[in-house]
Amino acid sequence: MSRKPYVREMPRFAWVFRHPRYLRYMTRELSCLFIGAYTLLLVAGIGRLAEGPAAYEAFLEALKSPLSIAFHVLALGFAIYHSITWFNLTPKALPVQIGEEFAPDWVITGAHHVIWVLLSLGILSLAGAF
Amino acid sequence: MAKSNKPLVWGPFAAGGTITAFVTPVLIVLTLLAALGYVPEMLGYENLRGVLAHWFAKLSVSVIIFLSLWSVAHRLRITCYDLGVRADALVAAALYLAAVLGSVAAVVYLARI
């Protein structure tokens, strides 16, 4: 590295709004805040479950607050956005070669989306949600 | 060849990103139902303890939680850098440590069930 590396002036946040693509990128990246907070909520729930029935009932009761419901709805939106963007990238990460040709992108992406939907329905049914 | 810890950091990120893509939305739906007053059968106290009593369930839940937290920590680290926070070593240490601590808490709780 040279002794005086050139560091280009960059606005901290303003660049995000310069192009819709940057905004979509940042939306995807910020989904991690919601997924992280939700995972910690699960850890807290497991903790209350370990403590006993009274603590767990209190946890379920606390979930019913308007703030918690708003958080769940937001987190669900961001989590779904993460899933869709993640699966849309899979052809780049997992190109499948068949003979000389590569499988078309939509096949790999589509397979992930189908498995995702089936898995989600399976878990919902197993959990007795419907 | 220069030594790099990138694969060690990136591997769990990729695995965690895939896990959260597959399971986080449906888990949110389950607790959202509970939040709306329709507690799914499996989230009842006795049922959930029954499921988590098995060692394989404990192992799966621990792995899912660790990979989720790790991928979140990694993504947040990159986002901090994108938003002009250039103290990367500090940010990385704090976030990965938080991911590990959260996972340890989950393992300790699960061991008590």
Side-chain angles (χ1 to χ4, degrees), chain A residues 26-47:
Chain A
M26 200 35 79
T27 307
R28 188 192 82 188
E29 296 302 283
L30 288 181
S31 69
C32 77
L33 288 178
F34 290 89
I35 293 175
Y38 182 75
T39 310
L40 292 177
L41 179 78
L42 285 187
V43 174
I46 296 171

Side-chain angles (χ1 to χ4, degrees), chain A residues 25 38 49 56 72 82-83 127, chain B residues 17 21 27 31 43 49 75 82:
Chain A
Y25 168 76
Y38 182 75
L49 183 72
Y56 186 65
H72 271 82
H82 163 70
S83 302
Chain B
L27 291 179
T31 51
L43 293 193
R49 271 194 91 105
R75 198 166 238 188
D82 285 344

Side-chain angles (χ1 to χ4, degrees), chain B residues 31-104:
Chain B
T31 51
L32 179 59
L33 286 174
L36 295 174
Y38 309 100
V39 181
E41 228 173 277
M42 201 202 265
L43 293 193
Y45 179 77
E46 293 298 334
N47 290 337
L48 196 53
R49 271 194 91 105
V51 171
L52 291 178
H54 198 279
W55 66 268
F56 188 72
K58 289 184 210 275
L59 180 69
S60 312
V61 171
S62 305
V63 169
I64 289 174
I65 285 174
F66 169 69
L67 291 178
S68 304
L69 289 179
W70 188 274
S71 77
V72 164
H74 184 71
R75 198 166 238 188
L76 201 52
R77 171 192 175 188
I78 305 300
T79 305
C80 285
Y81 193 84
D82 285 344
L83 295 179
V85 183
R86 292 291 138 103
D88 184 54
L90 186 69
V91 169
L95 288 172
Y96 295 140
L97 183 68
V100 169
L101 287 180
S103 312
V104 169

Side-chain angles (χ1 to χ4, degrees), chain A residues 38-78:
Chain A
Y38 182 75
T39 310
L40 292 177
L41 179 78
L42 285 187
V43 174
I46 296 171
R48 301 296 83 77
L49 183 72
E51 265 175 54
Y56 186 65
E57 286 308 320
F59 171 75
L60 286 183
E61 204 51 45
L63 282 185
K64 292 180 185 162
S65 77
L67 199 67
S68 147
I69 293 175
F71 168 73
H72 271 82
V73 171
L74 266 176
L76 182 60
F78 275 99

